[in-house]
Amino acid sequence: MNNQQLERIKSTGKINRVAIGGGLSVHVSPDATKKRFVFRYRSPRDGRILNIKIGAFDPTTFTIQDARAAVAKHKATIAAGDDPTPPTKTPRRTAPPPPPTPIGHTKEMTVGELCDRFVTQKTLTCGQRTIANCYLPQINNYIKPPWGAWPVSSLKYGIIKAELDQLAVRSNAQARGTFKCLSSLFSYGLELADHTPSLEPLTHHPIMGRKKPGKKIDGRARTLNNAELKKFVAVLRCYGGNADDEYYWAREQRAAAQMLHLELLTAARGSEVRTMRWSDIAIGDDGDLVWTIPAEASKNHHAHDVPITPYAATVLHERGLNNTAAREHRDIVFPNRLDRLANTPTGHARRSMITIYKAAGLVLSNKTKRGTVPHDLRRTVSQWLETLGYMDE
């Protein structure tokens, strides 16, 4: 292609991209009044395909020969192993080195050592699952790397704020979660300072009462209204096959519907319902069934009793509450179909739940305004109890 051919390109009503060769192309505006040269290449830095704007075509000041000369310079840069496009992200600022320990002073506990003791203590009170989901990601990725070798009392608010503000630019949620984890960490450190000599210099909480970094995250408050709930319950009552159905897919759908039904009737968490055992269900003092959720299955790591209403008992009867032989064979109420010994609970059954939500006219997702998740059933029950005045007692 030459300059005369480039000038004769006509309007197409949309952006027209014409390849010239060697990675060089010209982008023509919808009315063909603007023609811009663009060089397309693969970055030697990370292998991504990138575009560089060379310049606007002008038959007198910037011709196709000038564009090819600019492309030749960029190709020479790439051949040398460099990227002609500068990185868009600024390198992450590293925290300053920790201050030296004054001569004659007792060696103070470092932030890394305090984090290890904090994790050990929280594991005993909150459980392994809470630690793995709420604390370890922040501690291992955003607290220990910059401040692990710092003495605890040397970590001031200004140093913390500078680091978290930079993190908030890349991930708002991570910055706020790290701030919350640091708050719990320093609160634990102040409790230890009373009887731990290496923490005596820690006399105040550096971020107590401070504003969290980044923007406030709107919490999920999705609940099902009466119309949605009526349709959803109607689907749960009859969806899927029965226990004698020869198709495992139909039985799996029925088990997923029963799990969702029990989540709604007991206001329990999905993980608690999935790991329900027949041995945890007993007859209470008033003659009604009581489900005792063990400490290892509870989120707060404390056992608690959940009353089973006659309506909820019908779902358990369908699962085999009165079948003594079946209960002796397996203790899991919702066993994993892939486990021949039936000693492990079922998974999340997401595929089955998607079809159940679709049949009820709902969307199983938390990324859309119309979307809902199984935990919203627990929120719905909580809202009802609060409306009826039971939450204040």
Side-chain angles (χ1 to χ4, degrees), residues 339-362:
D339 184 7
R340 294 182 178 180
L341 299 178
N343 291 327
T344 57
T346 184
H348 293 276
R350 181 172 177 81
R351 183 174 60 174
S352 298
M353 289 189 178
I354 289 175
T355 60
I356 293 172
Y357 273 74
K358 187 175 180 180
L362 300 173

Side-chain angles (χ1 to χ4, degrees), residues 26 30 67 82 104 111 125 175 182 204 214 235 246 303 305 324 332 336 350-351 388:
V26 60
D82 298 328
V111 175
T125 58
L182 277 169
H204 70 283
V235 172
E246 58 178 320
D305 297 334
T324 306
I332 302 292
N336 191 332
R350 181 172 177 81
R351 183 174 60 174
L388 296 174

Side-chain angles (χ1 to χ4, degrees), residues 134-193:
C134 301
Y135 293 107
L136 283 182
Q138 280 74 26
I139 289 175
N140 293 334
N141 297 326
Y142 305 108
I143 297 179
K144 276 189 175 181
W147 304 310
W150 279 60
V152 178
S153 64
S154 300
L155 202 55
K156 305 298 182 181
Y157 170 69
I159 300 172
I160 296 174
K161 184 177 185 302
E163 190 75 14
L164 294 185
D165 285 346
Q166 189 179 32
L167 176 60
V169 176
R170 296 184 288 116
S171 176
N172 183 73
Q174 289 290 4
R176 297 177 72 86
T178 303
F179 182 93
K180 184 178 179 180
C181 183
L182 277 169
S183 179
S184 300
L185 181 67
F186 281 114
S187 297
Y188 174 70
L190 287 174
E191 295 177 2
L192 284 182

